[in-house]
């Protein structure tokens, strides 16, 4: 097995795609850390859903797209990332899923609907954090504007799912 630690980050620097070194508090690294956290939250949510659930499958596709987004964010401004973004497609798929669920909305207290619902609310708040951080990043290192839009829709989708899965 390949050695997991390299010690190259021990002085507060890390690498972007292609090897460019940046401080670990570079906004691109911060955003990718937030997306990574969101991805882990979505993984916990998926583990609590039935194998065949349509929402579980869509969340898996979202997770795959999050990895692509992270790759784009970690690409230096002067380089082109060869991995195509599918953020607009993902946004449309989530909008369709929201429309199909069409649950009533309103004030909710996370945790009142059970563990799955609470974890969906946690993921929703993380999606909102990512969206805010993306707009901050966009001022420093422009990102495709379909990316923060996807995170905005993801938080809406997660809210509706949290209502759908209450008490399950």
């Amino acid at each position: 097995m390949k050695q997991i630690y390299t010690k190259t980050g021990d002085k507060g620097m890390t690498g972007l795609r292609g090897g460019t070194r940046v401080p670990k508090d570079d906004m691109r690294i911060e955003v990718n850390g937030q997306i990574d956290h969101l991805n882990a939250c979505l993984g916990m949510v998926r583990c609590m859903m039935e194998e065949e659930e349509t929402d579980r499958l869509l969340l898996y596709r979202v997770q795959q797209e999050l990895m692509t987004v992270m790759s784009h964010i970690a690409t230096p401004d002067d380089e082109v990332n060869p991995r195509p973004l599918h953020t607009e497609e993902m946004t449309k798929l989530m909008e369709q899923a929201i429309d199909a669920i069409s649950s009533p909305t309103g004030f909710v207290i996370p945790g009142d609907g059970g563990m799955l619902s609470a974890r969906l609310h946690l993921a929703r708040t993380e999606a909102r954090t990512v969206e805010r951080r993306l707009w901050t990043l966009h001022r420093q290192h422009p990102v495709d504007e379909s990316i923060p839009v996807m995170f905005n829709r993801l938080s809406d989708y997660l809210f509706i799912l949290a209502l759908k899965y209450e008490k399950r």
Side-chain angles (χ1 to χ4, degrees):
M1 184 169 136
K2 184 180 176 194
Q3 192 173 20
I4 190 71
Y5 58 89
T6 63
K7 300 184 181 183
T8 59
D10 289 354
K11 301 278 189 214
M13 300 293 282
T14 193
L16 292 178
R17 200 175 160 278
T20 302
R21 304 294 291 174
V22 296
K24 285 192 175 188
D25 63 353
D26 183 281
M27 197 60 194
R28 293 167 290 196
I29 304 306
E30 174 64 23
V31 169
N32 272 352
Q34 294 292 150
I35 295 171
D36 191 30
H37 185 256
L38 171 59
N39 208 355
C41 290
L42 293 177
M44 288 191 319
V45 164
R46 280 191 325 102
C47 286
M48 297 179 76
M49 293 176 158
E50 299 295 323
E51 262 315 298
E52 66 281 349
E53 288 198 54
T54 306
D55 297 315
R56 186 176 195 273
L57 299 173
L58 180 53
L59 288 174
Y60 180 74
R61 290 185 64 190
V62 168
Q63 286 184 283
Q64 290 175 312
E65 188 62 13
L66 294 184
M67 300 300 287
T68 299
V69 167
M70 289 174 68
S71 173
H72 278 261
I73 289 169
T75 300
D77 295 340
D78 59 345
E79 293 183 26
V80 175
N81 188 306
R83 293 179 69 181
L85 284 170
H86 299 287
T87 48
E88 290 178 7
E89 174 189 350
M90 293 309 306
T91 298
K92 287 180 182 148
L93 288 172
M94 287 184 286
E95 287 172 349
Q96 291 168 356
I98 291 167
D99 293 343
I101 296 168
S102 66
S103 293
T105 59
F107 182 76
V108 294
I109 297 176
D112 282 354
M115 185 59 78
L116 177 55
S117 178
R119 288 182 192 252
L120 282 158
H121 280 297
L122 180 64
R124 172 188 56 80
T125 63
E126 190 61 25
R128 288 279 185 222
T129 299
V130 170
E131 180 191 0
R132 290 190 307 270
R133 298 296 182 273
L134 278 164
W135 285 114
T136 300
L137 175 64
H138 184 65
R139 287 192 296 277
Q140 298 170 11
H141 303 279
V143 296
D144 187 302
E145 289 189 15
S146 70
I147 294 173
V149 169
M150 183 190 78
F151 283 91
N152 187 356
R153 208 64 72 249
L154 177 58
S155 65
D156 296 335
Y157 177 53
L158 294 171
F159 177 78
I160 292 298
L161 283 183
L163 296 179
K164 176 182 175 181
Y165 288 97
E166 283 184 351
K167 301 295 182 197
R168 274 180 95 182

